[in-house]
Amino acid sequence: MKKNMIYSIAGIVFAGALTGCAVFGQQEVVSRKDEDTDIEQMQQEAAKIDPMKELLEDHYEDYQEEGGEIAFVSDGTVMDGGYNEAIYEGVQMYGLAAGVSFSCYNIEEDNYEGHLEIVEHAINKQAKIIVCAGYDFREAVGKLQDSYPEISFLLIDGEPVDAEGNPVDLNSNVHCVSFQEQESGYLAGYMAVLEGYRRLGFIGGKKDPAVIRYGHGYLQGIDDAAKELELEDVTVNYWYAGTYQPSEKIYEKTLKWYEEGTEIIFACGGSLYESVLKAAEEKEGILIGADVDQCKISDRFLTSAIKDIANAVVISLDT
């Protein structure tokens, strides 16, 4: 409606000038110029607004340092620019919309005892729903689902297992979420070759199913694109770091790859991308992000292979 109104005013100004109504025409031009300036200022102000930031504004103080009804438990930095942050955003969105309190707890030791301890800590702090970030919480949930039948567990990227790693039956208080990472991994690999990259790399975190699916899809996409373009010079370096945390070892490995001619690396697993990015910035290399859109972090990212983690968490909590 406003756009049509502006076009109409422009027509009036033009006609007035032709009929000698110079003063009227000048007044309308000034008026329209002012209006255009106001609209431009409004558009500039609107562009500064981050919709996600506004959505996650905690007006009613639903977030609690401890004691939230929903507990998010993780084994790394929550605001990691990737996997953990996406899960936490889902918890936030649901908690703020539903008016339910929520808290975050991080493990102190990256082992079974550490995962078990942090979940029980959240339960002792009166949590009713435990949202577990990742594959490494499988055994803890497998043990605790029987011990705490009144507690609901949401396990992302995993299914409960026993101490020997064997799958156990799901109790009614456990809900698991998994994704088909091979699909976005495939698209990332396929697109990278179509974009002209011929020497590619993959650095995964731990050898858990989600990371493996990303990697296998990536390789298949590279292979299919190479066949389609009838290329014989496409190569791929492939390595699992055994961790989701940044490290000097990952940085040195990445640096060596870039120095030897690797053009682009799919950094797949938690915040390990920080070490890959550091090397990429030093050697002007390119990355592919994982789990969430990481292009906003740096222009070193060509693209990201994503899965809709936050919405999956919201939907799961709302069922």
Side-chain angles (χ1 to χ4, degrees), residues 77-89 269-274 289-298 301 304 306 309:
T77 304
V78 173
M79 306 307 287
D80 62 355
Y83 183 77
N84 284 344
E85 188 169 335
I87 297 175
Y88 180 56
E89 283 185 355
S271 56
L272 69 79
Y273 75 86
E274 294 176 11
D291 294 330
V292 300
D293 181 8
Q294 295 184 307
C295 295
K296 58 187 178 184
I297 296 174
S298 168
F301 285 92
S304 296
I306 67 173
I309 299 172

Side-chain angles (χ1 to χ4, degrees), residues 177-254:
V177 176
S178 59
F179 303 86
Q180 294 180 319
E181 292 88 356
Q182 68 273 15
E183 295 181 359
S184 57
Y186 177 94
L187 293 173
Y190 189 90
M191 189 198 74
V193 174
L194 260 60
E195 286 289 316
Y197 296 98
R198 300 293 178 262
R199 302 187 68 176
L200 303 94
F202 174 87
I203 294 181
K206 298 179 182 179
K207 288 186 179 181
D208 70 43
V211 175
I212 292 171
R213 287 194 293 267
Y214 267 133
H216 286 185
Y218 181 62
L219 292 176
Q220 189 62 60
I222 291 169
D223 189 54
D224 284 355
K227 289 177 180 177
E228 184 176 310
L229 297 176
E230 299 181 349
L231 302 173
E232 296 182 357
D233 59 343
V234 177
T235 61
V236 184
N237 287 320
Y238 201 95
W239 178 62
Y240 291 101
T243 179
Y244 295 126
Q245 304 305 316
S247 70
E248 188 66 21
K249 182 179 179 181
I250 296 173
Y251 165 72
E252 290 176 356
K253 171 76 75 171
T254 306

Side-chain angles (χ1 to χ4, degrees), residues 103-118:
S103 301
C104 299
Y105 307 95
N106 292 331
I107 65 169
E108 294 184 3
E109 297 292 334
D110 190 7
N111 51 37
Y112 164 68
E113 288 75 18
H115 291 83
L116 188 70
E117 181 180 321
I118 200 63

Side-chain angles (χ1 to χ4, degrees), residues 33-266:
K33 184 177 180 181
D34 290 343
E35 183 176 350
D36 285 347
T37 300
D38 291 342
I39 292 172
E40 184 177 349
Q41 288 175 346
M42 291 170 61
Q43 290 173 335
Q44 290 174 349
E45 290 300 317
K48 295 177 183 178
I49 298 174
D50 183 346
M52 182 58 72
K53 183 178 179 181
E54 293 295 313
L55 181 64
L56 300 179
E57 193 70 34
D58 188 2
H59 296 288
Y60 301 101
E61 298 184 354
D62 292 312
Y63 171 75
Q64 297 180 9
E65 202 67 38
E66 289 192 328
E69 185 174 339
I70 302 174
F72 172 48
V73 294
S74 69
D75 53 8
T77 304
V78 173
M79 306 307 287
D80 62 355
Y83 183 77
N84 284 344
E85 188 169 335
I87 297 175
Y88 180 56
E89 283 185 355
V91 172
Q92 278 184 297
M93 284 191 285
Y94 177 79
L96 296 173
V100 178
S101 61
F102 55 94
S103 301
C104 299
Y105 307 95
N106 292 331
I107 65 169
E108 294 184 3
E109 297 292 334
D110 190 7
N111 51 37
Y112 164 68
E113 288 75 18
H115 291 83
L116 188 70
E117 181 180 321
I118 200 63
V119 174
E120 291 192 308
H121 175 76
I123 293 172
N124 292 334
K125 291 296 181 178
Q126 309 306 312
K128 303 300 181 187
I129 302 173
I130 312 292
V131 180
C132 302
Y135 191 73
D136 289 340
F137 280 95
R138 297 175 305 144
E139 189 178 344
V141 174
K143 177 178 177 60
L144 297 176
Q145 65 173 354
D146 291 324
S147 304
Y148 298 97
E150 74 285 3
I151 302 298
S152 296
F153 296 92
L154 174 58
L155 179 57
I156 310 298
D157 285 319
E159 297 182 1
V161 297
D162 60 22
E164 285 71 43
N166 300 312
V168 299
D169 292 335
L170 287 180
N171 288 359
S172 60
N173 61 330
V174 177
H175 181 75
C176 300
V177 176
S178 59
F179 303 86
Q180 294 180 319
E181 292 88 356
Q182 68 273 15
E183 295 181 359
S184 57
Y186 177 94
L187 293 173
Y190 189 90
M191 189 198 74
V193 174
L194 260 60
E195 286 289 316
Y197 296 98
R198 300 293 178 262
R199 302 187 68 176
L200 303 94
F202 174 87
I203 294 181
K206 298 179 182 179
K207 288 186 179 181
D208 70 43
V211 175
I212 292 171
R213 287 194 293 267
Y214 267 133
H216 286 185
Y218 181 62
L219 292 176
Q220 189 62 60
I222 291 169
D223 189 54
D224 284 355
K227 289 177 180 177
E228 184 176 310
L229 297 176
E230 299 181 349
L231 302 173
E232 296 182 357
D233 59 343
V234 177
T235 61
V236 184
N237 287 320
Y238 201 95
W239 178 62
Y240 291 101
T243 179
Y244 295 126
Q245 304 305 316
S247 70
E248 188 66 21
K249 182 179 179 181
I250 296 173
Y251 165 72
E252 290 176 356
K253 171 76 75 171
T254 306
L255 204 63
K256 183 179 180 182
W257 282 7
Y258 282 133
E259 288 173 344
E260 292 175 346
T262 297
E263 301 166 295
I264 187 167
I265 297 173
F266 185 10

